[in-house]
């Protein structure tokens, strides 16, 4: 158990819908990262938040957005869902803002299926 | 831009045999390198990491990896594989702000 929690574990929805994925980091961690794992793209970095502020952005679609709240939990919002958004979404947390060598601890993931 | 290549998509070994999973990276500065393991339906678990210093790093579950700057490699090894090691293994490089760039992964199958 990494100490990172993600809810829900599974999510099934229809095209065009909007969903919210939730992540609680390990106690004391200030950074939250979101990754997408799909068969065709592999594991891809989406976005990072540090202490409530966006720190880095990766291959995140404009239909996707995220935020980190004062209690440090984070939410990833996916809207206008398409079939291709079906994937496993991971959240990870780390102690500091990154600095390259910061170890990231991963949650169990949320499996999103878009029908 | 940084990248990671894992040349072997799938490796099969017999239980008790030695294992080496290959990883090559491309990054302009000193790399921070990681190996993670993902069991079916599970999240990613950190096996080991290299930041600096000794180029041979020890990890959990009996794994080790050797950083070779001249070959831009960070291969993962285990002297004797157990059936419970069957999983998918990911090599990753960390860049500024800690963002991880992953390889495509290597699926390990262990035969009894």
């Amino acid at each position: 158990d990494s100490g990172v929690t993600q809810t829900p574990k599974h999510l099934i929805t229809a095209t065009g819908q909007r969903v919210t994925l939730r992540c609680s980091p390990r106690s004391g961690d200030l950074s939250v990262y979101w990754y997408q794992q799909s068969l065709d793209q592999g594991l891809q970095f989406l976005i990072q938040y540090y202490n409530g502020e966006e720190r880095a952005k990766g291959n995140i679609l404009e239909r996707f957005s995220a935020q980190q709240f004062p209690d440090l939990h984070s939410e990833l919002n996916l809207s206008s869902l398409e079939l291709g958004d079906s994937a496993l979404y991971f959240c990870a947390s780390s102690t500091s803002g990154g600095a390259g060598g910061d170890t990231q601890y991963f949650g169990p993931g949320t499996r999103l299926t878009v029908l | 831009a940084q990248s990671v290549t894992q040349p072997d998509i799938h490796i099969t070994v017999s239980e008790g045999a030695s294992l080496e999973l290959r990883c090559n990276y491309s990054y302009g500065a000193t790399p921070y390198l990681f190996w993670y393991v993902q069991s079916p339906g599970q999240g990613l678990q950190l096996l080991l990491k290299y930041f600096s210093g000794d180029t041979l790093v020890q990890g959990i579950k009996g794994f080790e990896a050797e950083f070779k700057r001249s070959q831009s490699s960070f291969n993962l090894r285990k002297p004797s594989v157990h059936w419970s090691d069957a999983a998918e293994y990911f090599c990753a490089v960390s860049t500024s702000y800690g963002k991880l760039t992953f390889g495509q992964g290597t699926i390990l199958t262990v035969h009894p």
Side-chain angles (χ1 to χ4, degrees):
Chain A
D1 185 355
S2 67
V4 179
T5 60
Q6 290 187 248
T7 57
K9 193 166 186 177
H10 300 278
L11 201 47
I12 302 174
T13 188
T15 54
Q17 295 299 304
R18 173 189 169 94
V19 297
T20 297
L21 313 183
R22 182 188 169 102
C23 168
S24 293
R26 293 187 321 154
S27 177
D29 283 358
L30 297 178
S31 269
V32 169
Y33 307 77
W34 287 97
Y35 293 85
Q36 179 194 59
Q37 185 179 33
S38 62
L39 282 175
D40 52 344
Q41 297 292 325
L43 267 162
Q44 300 245 319
F45 167 73
L46 294 179
I47 197 164
Q48 177 202 1
Y49 277 81
Y50 173 69
N51 205 19
E53 294 189 3
E54 182 183 305
R55 177 63 69 97
K57 234 175 184 177
N59 299 324
I60 188 166
L61 300 172
E62 284 191 13
R63 300 183 286 107
F64 296 1
S65 65
Q67 54 184 328
Q68 186 179 28
F69 295 87
D71 66 352
L72 300 177
H73 91 272
S74 177
E75 293 181 356
L76 179 67
N77 301 294
L78 315 176
S79 62
S80 303
L81 285 167
E82 302 175 359
L83 295 178
D85 298 326
S86 295
L88 193 51
Y89 291 85
F90 285 111
C91 167
S93 73
S94 69
T95 305
S96 67
D102 216 12
T103 297
Q104 294 179 35
Y105 296 89
F106 282 76
T110 293
R111 181 166 295 282
L112 173 66
T113 302
V114 182
L115 302 175
Chain B
Q2 66 285 344
S3 65
V4 176
T5 302
Q6 293 180 245
D8 305 306
I9 297 174
H10 194 171
I11 282 185
T12 300
V13 299
S14 298
E15 192 168 16
S18 64
L19 172 71
E20 182 168 27
L21 302 182
R22 297 184 291 164
C23 171
N24 293 98
Y25 69 89
S26 173
Y27 185 53
T30 301
Y32 300 100
L33 295 160
F34 303 80
W35 274 99
Y36 283 86
V37 61
Q38 183 179 24
S39 298
Q42 303 296 314
L44 294 155
Q45 182 182 23
L46 179 68
L47 285 176
L48 48 78
K49 59 188 180 187
Y50 170 78
F51 289 174
S52 63
D54 195 347
T55 57
L56 186 63
V57 294
Q58 302 296 321
I60 62 171
K61 303 185 181 187
F63 285 93
E64 67 178 26
E66 186 171 12
F67 169 63
K68 292 185 177 179
R69 185 185 297 275
S70 61
Q71 298 177 19
S72 297
S73 69
F74 188 56
N75 294 348
L76 182 71
R77 300 194 295 248
K78 186 168 185 178
S80 178
V81 170
H82 188 262
W83 63 266
S84 61
D85 293 323
E88 189 162 14
Y89 292 79
F90 292 92
C91 181
V93 62
S94 174
T95 61
S96 57
Y97 300 117
K99 158 190 140 175
L100 288 171
T101 298
F102 287 91
Q104 286 299 100
T106 298
I107 297 171
L108 174 65
T109 298
V110 181
H111 279 169

